[in-house]
Amino acid sequence: MNKFPRLLPLAARGIAAAGALACAAGTAQAITVFEQDVTTAIDRGIEWLANNGAFNNPSSAGDAHGLPMLALLEKRASGDPNDPPQGYDGASATDQGRLRTAAAYILDRVNETSFYAYRDGNFMFALSEYARTNGPDKSVLAPANADYQTIKEAMDALVDRTVAAQRQAPGYPNAIDQGYWCYNNAGCEDSSTTQFAAAGLAAAKAFYTSGKSGDGGAWADAGRVAAIDAALARARTAYELNAVQGSDYGVDAGQNCELMSASERGHGYRTGYRPSLQQTASGVYIQLFGGANVNTPNVQAYMEWLRNRYRWQNLDSMGNSWPNDSYWYYLWSSFKGMELMRNAGIAPDPGNIGPDELGTLPAAGAPACNQRQDRKLPASYAQVAAFGAGGVGTYGDYPAGQYFDYAHQIIGHQCWDGSLPVTGNDGRFNCNSAPGDWNAYSHQAYALLVLQRATGGACVDSDGDGVCDEDDNCPTTPNPNQEDADGDGVGDACDNCPQVPNPDQADSDQDGIGDACEQAPIPRCDVDGDGDIDKIDLSTISRARNKPADGPDDPRDSDGSGTITPNDVKTCIPQCTRPNCATQ
């Protein structure tokens, strides 16, 4: 079952109870000052949206409505990366009321509109996360209103018209022309609209594979999942075939940003345009949605382009043709693709670029645009004044990296004069020389979604086994049933010691057998004490099934449970050093 995705580290997946995933409980360890400031910024930002009608008057946000709703669903108890988003289940009574109002707007609005990439994409983000965290369906929201759809009906309509609007054969027989969405049809090869349509479909896939149901019955829909997969595969191909060199800076601007290496590639606003920051960033996650991963060659080409032009401050200092109004979406699009890779837990191959390398280049000057920015050093900064008076070094216990770069920049732009009640711009991210925005609601939501490490509820399934990477206990090895005999959160299909819990998968000698199997179990399994594990030992253990162990050092009790069980035999079988070790 595809649980609501979130940030348990790969080694710990499957250990936490599924019911905890929608609870916004605090973490056991103390959070840092920076994490606390991020938490405060999120709370203030949400209240700005609420005070400006984003939830109680959803039509005020209009086509951007799903973005504030998603930001409310992604609210969490602290800035700790392991704190789950609240979803609907974990929300306060006030926030649940806001979410019901927001969801009702979507259920009413979908059947009154036709395809529009920006709106339909963000509606799918929000509706998927709301539904998967047990948000009420039509029977609660509008039981007597025939104009409202159920969640399933609304999602089906959004998916069907989005898939139908994609450029695809036979209308576009050349592969290079397929895979994109335009604003409200298939009439152009537009990346700015494709990024919303593709991300919305990826969120809808998580909805259909969630194993849940609502007023319209079970949500599982293999046919629509197949249609989504085909559409996302076409989009991935488009970003592979139309990847180009250079940038939209221009060769005569004197910034060395035009071409930095023969292997880098990016994507522009439309095919034929030079690559831009925000469209190359979204090109990464579109390829991931289509089945690529961090080590796919074309993803690496995009990663190289982004690393060479890494930027957290603004867009137009790069000299490109895009106004700073696009800055807020750039932050989310460029963070989202990297976070999807982190959540997948797939390590970059040797020599490849991973998401945590952004903001770094060798000191000797691998080619780089001289407007490229290095990562911030947390210890070099005083506390942002809107949150406290801590001096330089206040944030020193927080790690450097993309998240700090973006989040620190964002909270520095939040308006706050400290007065109560909160009025005016308090909580909005447009102070202290903040870049401009296209739309106040979407701008606010993008800032919050970065602070919340949100991926839009998207399902990335790198091994194609029908389980989203964030939930997959073997993200690179197909295992649709998610078998995990030892319960350590690592699936049997990729566990280097499948019968002994070893969530860290330690393998000191790199022989493919985990240390947990090679070390502690061996003296325990050697029941007759002859120095090896053979059929005699295994049979002796098997005959003692269900008997209590003779003590903590009983060699028959290989897992140390205190009782001889079939699992003890299974634990010892991999250690057998003789032929024909199988036992009944």
Side-chain angles (χ1 to χ4, degrees), residues 285-298:
Y285 69 69
I286 288 171
Q287 292 180 75
L288 299 179
F289 295 153
N293 64 48
V294 65
N295 293 311
T296 302
N298 204 64

Side-chain angles (χ1 to χ4, degrees), residues 497-515:
C497 189
Q499 302 301 329
V500 179
N502 64 330
D504 62 2
Q505 296 288 284
D507 180 13
S508 301
D509 58 9
Q510 298 294 304
D511 65 353
I513 300 175
D515 294 346

